[in-house]
Amino acid sequence: MPKPKKRGSNHQRGAGGQPRNVQPFSDEDASIETMSHCSGFSDPASFTEDGPEVDEEATQEDLEYKLKGFIDLTLDKSAKTRQAALESLKSAFSSKILYEFIMERRMTLTDSIERCIKKGKSDEQCAAAGLACLLCVQMGSGIESEEIFKTLGPVLKKIVCDGTASIQARQACATCLGICCFIVTDDITELYSTMECLENIFMKAYPRDRDANGVSSTHNTMLHVSALLAWTLLLTICPMNEVKKKIEMHLHKLPSLLSCDDLNMRIAAGETLALLFELARETDADFFYEDMDLLTEKLRALATDGNKHRAKVDKRKQRSVFRDVLRAVEERDFPTEMVKFGPERMYIDCWVKKQTYETFKEILGSGMQYHLQSNDFLRNVFELGPPVMLDAATLKTMKISRFERHLYNSAAFKARTKARSKCRDKRADVGEFF
């Protein structure tokens, strides 16, 4: 490794060449200090036409130097410092492919994550669980990822099932458990075991199970939502005979969750129902649901909900989601969506694909587009083929100038405003009567 550059008095180095007295990063500091070295490569559009050339090798070395410091700080005595280090690592892992760097340190990272989940408090556990997801996303499906999951899987299950742990930590661990299992598990027994663990959590939201267990309808709702969504993700990779069993078990119970007071639970239940109907019709073209009239009536009510006691934003979101769910259940239709990333396009044309995309988008955030371009595992999941290799010169020719982009946006804005004004102006119809 090359000698580090000289640093000021605030960055003195201690014994062993590791950073000493490093302050934990805030979200703003992490985005500026840490990711300034890798954000430039997270999107092809970030290449400027007239900007100076960047020494990629030096930038990569500088980034790795900082990441090594953050890995060391995950073992710090201060909980605040550990959490800041975990968040900084999450930012880096979500916005850049670091396979080689992580491969050499995967066991150290796994040990740090395990320690933080076991001994940390709620916020630290959430950050560690999020980092575990990104670690598996970076490594993809392989022997190394299986070793990571063998270590972290039991710890995650223990937190998820621990009634004394914080709801936020259990929620994060449930999501992490589902994603990591989706990525690494080839063992069918482990898949079923993980699904059973998640199933035992969200089934408590069903009215009968909720009453029998004395669980409040609101206290654990977000945990139930996370467990349901993670379970649904794993259902998409189950063998068809197992899918049939799960559909028979849950299809007549899930509609009861549509009456839940929590918007997120209603939406999660609705999207899961749409996905179950899609899978059921794939296995049996003549699939028949006995209570179809009652279900479509519920879905239509949610798709046209106008209750005044609900926030306008919540009502708009609910109506939008349930219009699509109703079309899926009643008409077997799915509104195709297009996702752009660099020069490529991906079409989301079914609920299985939508569920998978939304899950990884939640984890990767703004780094989703970059990973779709460069991450072999994600490209394999969405059947995108090998990464498209484009050099900097090609990317520059694809990018329009800022002035041209401004003109295009201005013209589009004016045209949209004019079109909407015609529809909104009530006087446009008055002249016809005189």
Side-chain angles (χ1 to χ4, degrees), residues 11 15 215 281 329 394 409 429:
H11 297 278
V215 179
R281 286 162 177 164
V329 173
T394 305
N409 289 337
D429 297 328

Side-chain angles (χ1 to χ4, degrees), residues 48-68:
T48 56
E49 293 180 353
D50 302 319
E53 293 185 3
V54 179
D55 187 345
E56 294 187 24
E57 185 176 350
T59 302
Q60 183 70 16
E61 289 176 356
D62 197 12
L63 172 63
E64 291 185 3
Y65 170 78
K66 290 189 175 186
L67 294 180
K68 289 174 187 176

Side-chain angles (χ1 to χ4, degrees), residues 153-295:
V155 181
L156 294 170
K157 288 180 182 178
K158 184 177 180 181
I159 297 295
V160 169
C161 299
D162 184 3
T164 62
S166 74
I167 293 297
Q168 291 78 13
R170 296 176 70 189
Q171 182 183 346
C173 288
T175 299
C176 178
L177 187 62
I179 291 175
C180 292
C181 185
F182 177 89
I183 294 172
V184 308
T185 300
D186 285 332
D187 184 1
I188 199 71
T189 57
E190 181 61 36
L191 173 62
Y192 292 165
S193 172
T194 302
M195 290 185 70
E196 184 179 358
C197 174
L198 295 169
E199 208 168 35
N200 291 335
I201 298 298
F202 77 78
M203 283 180 65
K204 293 177 182 177
Y206 293 151
R208 290 182 181 178
D209 295 325
R210 183 172 67 229
D211 296 338
N213 290 278
V215 179
S216 169
S217 60
T218 58
H219 182 61
N220 296 324
T221 300
M222 291 311 299
L223 172 61
H224 297 156
V225 170
S226 297
L228 176 60
L229 293 176
W231 175 86
T232 306
L233 177 68
L234 295 180
L235 185 66
T236 63
I237 59 172
C238 278
M240 280 303 176
N241 59 339
E242 185 67 17
V243 170
K244 288 181 180 179
K245 292 179 183 177
K246 297 302 183 183
I247 289 173
E248 292 175 1
M249 182 185 300
H250 294 283
L251 194 56
H252 66 284
K253 293 182 178 181
L254 277 169
S256 65
L257 300 182
L258 298 175
S259 303
C260 181
D261 293 334
D262 186 85
L263 172 66
N264 293 311
M265 175 57 86
R266 294 196 300 274
I267 289 176
E271 292 181 338
T272 302
L273 278 168
L275 188 141
L276 289 181
F277 270 91
E278 182 176 273
L279 292 175
R281 286 162 177 164
E282 285 182 7
T283 58
D284 181 7
D286 299 324
F287 173 76
F288 176 75
Y289 181 64
E290 295 179 355
D291 298 324
M292 180 63 81
D293 292 340
L294 181 61
L295 177 59

Side-chain angles (χ1 to χ4, degrees), residues 30-172:
S31 62
I32 297 173
E33 179 76 8
T34 310
M35 299 320 302
S36 63
H37 301 285
C38 59
S39 60
F41 301 96
S42 62
D43 188 349
S46 63
F47 286 95
T48 56
E49 293 180 353
D50 302 319
E53 293 185 3
V54 179
D55 187 345
E56 294 187 24
E57 185 176 350
T59 302
Q60 183 70 16
E61 289 176 356
D62 197 12
L63 172 63
E64 291 185 3
Y65 170 78
K66 290 189 175 186
L67 294 180
K68 289 174 187 176
F70 292 140
I71 292 173
D72 291 339
L73 289 175
T74 59
L75 302 176
D76 195 86
K77 291 182 179 180
S78 167
K80 187 176 181 180
T81 302
R82 291 196 304 271
Q83 185 180 338
L86 291 169
E87 294 292 348
S88 297
L89 289 170
K90 283 174 60 181
S91 297
F93 286 11
S94 64
S95 35
K96 192 168 177 66
I97 300 296
L98 298 163
Y99 181 83
E100 299 293 338
F101 175 84
I102 293 173
M103 177 66 78
E104 297 175 2
R105 299 164 181 83
R106 66 184 187 281
M107 297 312 297
T108 303
L109 281 164
T110 304
D111 291 342
S112 296
I113 292 170
E114 181 183 14
R115 185 186 185 93
C116 291
I117 292 177
K118 280 184 174 179
K119 299 185 177 181
K121 293 186 178 179
S122 178
D123 291 340
E124 184 179 343
Q125 289 175 312
C126 292
L131 182 59
C133 291
L134 293 169
L135 182 60
C136 287
V137 170
Q138 288 272 349
M139 298 301 295
S141 54
I143 297 175
E144 294 82 7
S145 296
E146 289 181 10
E147 292 175 354
I148 293 171
F149 188 63
K150 284 180 181 177
T151 301
L152 298 180
V155 181
L156 294 170
K157 288 180 182 178
K158 184 177 180 181
I159 297 295
V160 169
C161 299
D162 184 3
T164 62
S166 74
I167 293 297
Q168 291 78 13
R170 296 176 70 189
Q171 182 183 346

Side-chain angles (χ1 to χ4, degrees), residues 229 232-233 271 275 351-359:
L229 293 176
T232 306
L233 177 68
E271 292 181 338
L275 188 141
W351 283 96
V352 170
K353 204 169 187 178
K354 177 182 173 65
Q355 171 73 13
T356 308
Y357 176 78
E358 292 294 338
T359 300

